[in-house]
Amino acid sequence: MDEGRRAARRQVLQVAAKLLEEGGSEAVSTRAVAAAAGITAPALYRMFDDKDGLLAELAAYGFEMYLAEKREALALTPDDPVADLYRGWDLHVDFGLRHPAFYVLMYGTVRPGRRPPAADEAHALLVRLLGRAAEAGRLRVPVEQATRVIHAATTGATLALIGEEPSERDLTTSTRLRDAVIASVTTDSPTSSGSDLASRALSLDAVLETALTAGPSAAGAGVPLRETETALLREWLQQLAG
């Protein structure tokens, strides 16, 4: 796609985003978007095929906004992986309450196997935060399990709050759930002795995961094992982690 077409597509998405924020997904009809963008309906169809295609692109646009905000905010926090989990939760909920129509489109209409690339990036950001906590000896459960728990809890809390009248929302609901969920998957302080075998196993598994995903050269230098040996080691570590 050339720059001109990309810019035109982006402009239409910005117009559609404004309609979505003001009136929800019902306001994002192909006719309304085309009229607001100053283009013909056939031109809109050439860009997005149909309304479902437009809404899918809007969801991706929302994830891009979310990621930009979250990366910027997390860059300002102390280098504490568990503190970042708490901060990440609050940022997630705050985004949803400020952009409810976008959030419902992003998380309330999910279809298996149809996540936009930006959604995968948002998921990967949470995995990285939890991986850092595991490397620091601050995780009680495997990264994959902790990711599922926190993702389910944050999205559930946010959608529940969005469904309430703003005047009746009690944000301490999110705070209480956040504290309980994160405490259930993390430890209060880094493991200081060899007695906590599970935490140490999780920490080593997280280090291996980082080395394996850092690139061929880094993986070769950091993991001097064959692929089958590494897989077996990680299986043992995950069993030790319980």
Side-chain angles (χ1 to χ4, degrees):
M1 186 183 300
D2 61 39
E3 284 299 321
R5 292 175 62 191
R6 187 178 291 109
R9 188 186 186 92
R10 192 73 175 179
Q11 183 179 7
V12 172
L13 281 174
Q14 290 170 348
V15 169
K18 186 172 186 296
L19 292 175
L20 178 68
E21 296 266 42
E22 292 174 349
S25 58
E26 297 81 5
V28 188
S29 67
T30 52
R31 178 177 298 179
V33 172
I39 61 174
T40 63
L44 185 70
Y45 285 124
R46 285 194 293 273
M47 290 181 183
F48 304 102
D49 293 333
D50 54 21
K51 182 177 179 179
D52 286 343
L54 176 59
L55 290 176
E57 290 285 342
L58 272 177
Y61 185 84
F63 275 112
E64 289 173 11
M65 288 196 306
Y66 168 69
L67 278 171
E69 289 186 10
K70 194 165 188 177
R71 287 195 186 105
E72 181 179 0
L74 288 176
L76 302 175
T77 60
D79 189 21
D80 179 336
V82 175
D84 281 348
L85 290 174
Y86 283 89
R87 177 66 172 148
W89 178 298
D90 292 341
L91 291 167
H92 184 104
V93 174
D94 178 66
F95 178 88
L97 295 183
R98 286 187 293 107
H99 305 283
F102 258 116
Y103 191 89
V104 171
L105 183 62
M106 292 158 58
Y107 287 101
T109 59
V110 176
R111 299 180 188 178
R114 295 190 60 180
R115 291 196 310 186
D120 289 332
E121 288 184 44
H123 178 82
L125 178 58
L126 175 57
V127 171
R128 285 196 296 274
L129 288 176
L130 287 163
R132 288 176 52 224
E135 289 180 25
R138 303 289 304 276
L139 214 57
R140 298 179 189 274
V141 298
V143 170
E144 182 180 356
Q145 183 180 343
T147 302
R148 288 177 177 273
V149 169
I150 292 180
H151 174 73
T154 50
T155 54
T158 308
L159 288 169
L161 289 169
I162 287 173
E164 297 177 353
E165 291 292 337
S167 60
E168 297 177 1
R169 283 179 190 151
D170 182 359
L171 295 182
T172 61
T173 300
S174 173
T175 303
R176 288 175 180 272
L177 184 59
R178 178 201 67 191
D179 293 349
V181 169
I182 294 179
S184 75
V185 299
T186 62
T187 61
D188 293 333
S189 59
T191 303
S192 58
S193 70
S195 60
D196 191 345
L197 182 61
S199 290
R200 289 189 174 275
L202 286 170
S203 178
L204 180 53
D205 185 56
V207 171
L208 283 169
E209 175 69 17
T210 299
L212 291 168
T213 56
S217 59
V223 186
L225 299 172
R226 291 191 294 270
E227 184 176 344
T228 53
E229 293 171 333
T230 302
L232 182 59
L233 174 57
R234 295 196 66 191
E235 182 180 345
W236 287 341
L237 290 170
Q238 288 164 17
Q239 288 183 22
L240 289 171

